[in-house]
Amino acid sequence: MLRNTFNNEIASLLAEDNWLLAQEEYDRQENLNWESRFGLVSGYMSSRGSEICATSRPTLPATYIHGIFDRSEAFMRELANMPDWAKLKVYVNRQPIGVETEGLEDYLRALDMKNGLLASHYTVSDASGARIRVESLKLLSRAHPQCGLIRLYLTPLDGDAHFELENLIDGTVANFIDYPRFRTRHFEITENGKGKLGVYMECHTRDFKTPVGIGACVEGEGISSRAIKPYGEVACEFFDLHAKKGQTVRVDKFAAIATGRDTDGVKWRVTRLLEEVTTRGADAEIKMHIDKYQELWRMADLEIEGDDKMQKAMRFNIFHLMSTPNPYDDRVNIGPKLMHGEEYGGHAYWDTELFCLPFFTWVFPKIARNLVNYRGHLLDAARRNARDNGYLGAKYPWESADTGDEECPSWSVEYDGTCTRCYVADYEHHVTSAVAFGLVDYVRVTGDRSLFEEFGLELLLETARFWSSRMVWSDKKQAYEILQVTGPDEWHEPVDNNYYTNRMAVWNIHTAVDELKAMQKSRPDLAAAICQKIALTDDEINLWLDRAAKIYLPDTTGVIEQFEGYFDIPDAVITQWDDKAMPIMPESCVGKERKDHPILKQADVVMLMKLLPDELSLEVQRLNYDYYEKRTLHRSSLSPSAHAQVGVQLGLDERAYQYLERSSYVDIDNNQRNLREGLHAASIGGTWQAIVMGYCGMHLDKEGELAFSPKLPEQWSKVRFRINWRGKDKLVTIEDNKATVSDLA
Ligand code: BGC
C-alpha cells in the first residue's frame, strides 16, 4: 500500500491505492509534466504541482485565479500567473534541502484523487552526509476555496538538526517564463511585507488594475526567531526549527487570496480568511476539505468494473474536471488546459460547450448553469463582435476571456522570430453554433426552461441571425453559401461550404425558430417582448428559414465532402503509427502545405455525427467514419474522444476502444506530448461522454425522456455513474447491457 509509506498522520488521511496517482521517481525530464498532473484547483484558484521546497528544475510554478486576466505585452488577455504562495524553503547549514539535494532516496509523490490531497516524501543528505526525511501534504481547500494549506514534516535521521525555513510568496513569477519571446509579467506589486498574520503581498493586474492580495502564515511547535524579511519581489518570513535525531517537526503553512473581483478591501479580506482558517486549525480544515470532496464524488464517480487502468484514468480525469469551474461565479469559464498550465490563456473555446459542459449538465447542473450564464453575460460583446466583422446578430469569439472580445491573436511569432498571420479568429466561426448547442442541450436535459426566458431565447435568435447574415447567395448554385470559413479541421483554412459549419448553422436557425414558437405558446407576452427588444419581425424569421432551406449542403448519400473541393486534393491515407499509437503523417504529404494534402487535424464530419447522430443513416455514417479515420491525424486532443463515441454508436468496437484509451490516457500517458502546458479539458469531458453516452448509451428519446442503449466493452463487467435527472440524484447501473436507474442514497 502506497499510503503506508507515509508517516501516520498523512497515511491516516490518504485513500486506498486505486485512488492514488503516484510518481515514484524524480526525473527532471518529466518534471513539468508531473507539475501539470499534480495541479490542484479549489474552484476559485489553482496551484500547479511544483515542489514545495522549490528546488526542482525545470519548474513552472503557477497560481491562476478565475477571472484574473491581463494582456499587457502578451498577444491576448490571458489568465495571469500570480505570486506563488505554495513554497516553504528549508536550509540545513545554509544548504537548501529538496529533491535536487544529494542522496535523494525513497521519492514518492501521490495525488489522492478521492480527497484532493497532494502528498510527497523523500530522503536527502545534508552536506555532512546526514539524512533528512522530508514529507508534505498540500491542498487547496474546497471548503474555503480562497485558502490553501501545506503541511511539511522534517525528520533528521542520523543526528540532531537545526533547520532554517522561509515562508515565501514568490512575486518573481511571470507567464511563459521559459519562452523569452512570450514571457509577460501581468501584475505590479504594490505592497510586500508584513500582514496581521505572517507575510502579505498585494499587487494589481497591469491593464485593469484589479487588486489581488495574498497572505501566508506558518504555525508549528518549536518555531523560533520569526522575522519578516521581504527581499525584492519575494515576501519572506524567516524562522527556525530544531529537531533531535529521529524526531519529526511539523510546520503548517496557511495561505489566503482575495481579489478586487470579490471585495473592495483585499487586505482586510485576506486577513479575515487567515484568521478564520488558523482559528479552525489545519486538522479541521483538512477534514472539511475532504468532506467536500466526498460530496463531489458522491455525484461524480464513474465506476468501471473489470478495467483498473481505465478506472484510475477516469477518476484522474473527473477529479481535475470537476475541481476546476467556480461553483459560485457565473462570469468565469473553463480553459482548454483547465487551470493547470499556461497554454491558450485560460480562454473559453467551443471545448466548453461541446466537450466539458455535458458532464456538468448531467452531474452538476448548477455548475453547468454558471458556464452557460457566462455566455449570456457576454451576449452584448458577441453582438459587438458580429457588428465589427460586418455581420448581424451575435457572433461569439473563437477565444473568450472576461470581456467577451475576441482573444484569439491575429499574429503568432515562431521561435526564430518569423511572424505568421493567424486566421483562426477570422474564419473559425462554428463556436457560435456550439454555444447555442450547449445551451439547448442544458435546457433539454435539466428541464430548466427559465434559462430561455432569462437570456437563452435571445441568444438563440441572435446567433441564428448571425448565421443568416453569414450566408451569401450563389446564382450558379442556386443556393446560399458560407464562404471563407474554417471547420473543426483547422488544417484546411479557409474553405468554402464546410459541411459541419453549414449544417450546424441550419441547426442553429431551426432550433431558434422552434424555441421561439414554443415560447409564443407558453409565454406570448415574453416572446413578443424579446422580439421587440431585438427588433425581430416575422419577415426576418422567414428570411432565415428560406436561407436555411436553400443552403448548400454536399451529397450526403455516400462519403460526404468535408468542404467544397476537398475531393480534388491529391489523396493520401495514414499507414503508420508511432510508439504512442498516434498516426504518422503519410510520407507523400510531408513537406506539403496543409491545404495541398487531405490529412485532417481532427474530427470534422465525424464530429457532426457525434452531435447529430440521427442525421445520417448508420450505413452512411460507417462509410464516412472509415473514410475520414484513414485521413485524420488526431493532432488535436479533441479528436480521439469523438471517434470513440461515434465508433461505439456505429458498432466499431475495437476501433472505438482504441480511441477511448487514447483519449482517456491523454494526460496519464502524455500521448499528445504537450502535457507541460496543462491538462486536456476537452479530451477529459469528451471521454466521459464517450463512456456515458457512447458505451452506456445514455440519451434523450424523442419525447425527451431518459433512455439507454448500452453496449459495454467485453472486459468491463459493470459501470455505475450518477446523474441529476430533473432535480433528483440518480444512480445508473449498466450490467449485462441493461440499464437500471435508482434513487441515489
Ligand atoms: C483545436 C481546437 C480547440 C483548441 C483548444 C486546437 O488545437 O484544433 O479545436 O478548440 O485547440 O483546445
Side-chain angles (χ1 to χ4, degrees), residues 336-337 344 349-351 355 398 428 430 488-490 601-602 635-638 680 682:
K337 301 290 178 187
Y344 296 130
Y349 283 67
W350 72 313
D351 304 35
F355 292 85
W398 177 244
E428 196 153 358
H430 61 85
D489 163 32
E490 293 175 336
K601 179 179 179 188
Q602 67 200 85
R635 211 35 83 73
S636 161
S637 67
L638 277 56
H680 293 86

Side-chain angles (χ1 to χ4, degrees), residues 536-562:
L536 180 62
T537 61
D538 285 349
D539 284 352
E540 188 179 348
I541 294 171
N542 289 335
L543 177 83
W544 299 351
L545 290 173
D546 185 53
R547 291 186 173 185
K550 294 185 186 146
I551 196 168
Y552 172 84
L553 289 171
D555 176 11
T556 54
T557 56
V559 176
I560 299 168
E561 193 172 33
Q562 182 180 293

Side-chain angles (χ1 to χ4, degrees), residues 403-424:
T403 65
D405 289 336
E406 179 59 78
E407 297 293 347
C408 180
S410 302
W411 290 89
S412 63
V413 183
E414 305 304 327
Y415 296 97
D416 62 359
T418 319
C419 293
T420 321
R421 179 76 167 82
C422 174
Y423 290 101
V424 176

